[in-house]
Amino acid sequence: MRRICRKRRLRSTEELVTAWYIGFLVLIFSSFLVYLVENKFNKEFATYADALWWGTITLTTIGYGDKIPKTWTGRMLSAGFALLGISFFALPAPLTFTYLI
């Protein structure tokens, strides 16, 4: 029985690390895409660091509203990435609780 629990915890840990890694890649990718789209039309996205701040706030679903995409393409990308942020936090929750049990 202990062996089964240990294997389940190990698998759960690997899945959790994979989910965090994918979330980090989505953050980098989404910030870069929004930076490319908004850089020329929006002064709020003057640097990649600004876009990375926006991506962090958007994917974690905090939504301060200090940086807002102004182009139609930027807004559509933002909506998609906001939905990814919701699913990103929904995915690791059961994995974390499986690990704790």
Side-chain angles (χ1 to χ4, degrees):
M1 185 68 167
R2 287 184 183 182
R3 195 179 282 172
I4 292 171
C5 289
R6 190 173 296 149
K7 282 185 179 182
R8 189 167 69 174
R9 280 189 181 176
L10 180 62
R11 195 173 99 211
S12 176
T13 303
E14 290 171 353
E15 291 171 350
L16 187 60
V17 169
T18 302
W20 281 104
Y21 180 72
I22 291 171
F24 180 74
L25 289 178
V26 167
L27 170 66
I28 299 297
F29 184 67
S30 65
S31 298
F32 184 69
L33 281 179
V34 170
Y35 172 73
L36 288 179
V37 170
E38 292 289 323
N39 184 20
K40 296 176 184 173
F41 304 106
N42 193 346
K43 293 179 183 177
E44 295 174 351
F45 293 91
T47 65
Y48 180 67
D50 292 333
L52 197 58
W53 171 254
W54 168 87
T56 303
I57 297 306
T58 300
L59 287 178
T60 56
T61 65
I62 295 172
Y64 288 140
D66 55 347
K67 299 192 183 311
I68 302 169
K70 303 219 190 256
T71 64
W72 185 83
T73 308
R75 289 181 180 182
M76 295 310 287
L77 283 171
S78 298
F81 293 132
L83 291 174
L84 273 175
I86 293 168
S87 63
F88 170 67
F89 279 106
L91 176 66
L95 298 175
T96 303
F97 293 121
T98 302
Y99 178 75
L100 294 175
I101 294 176

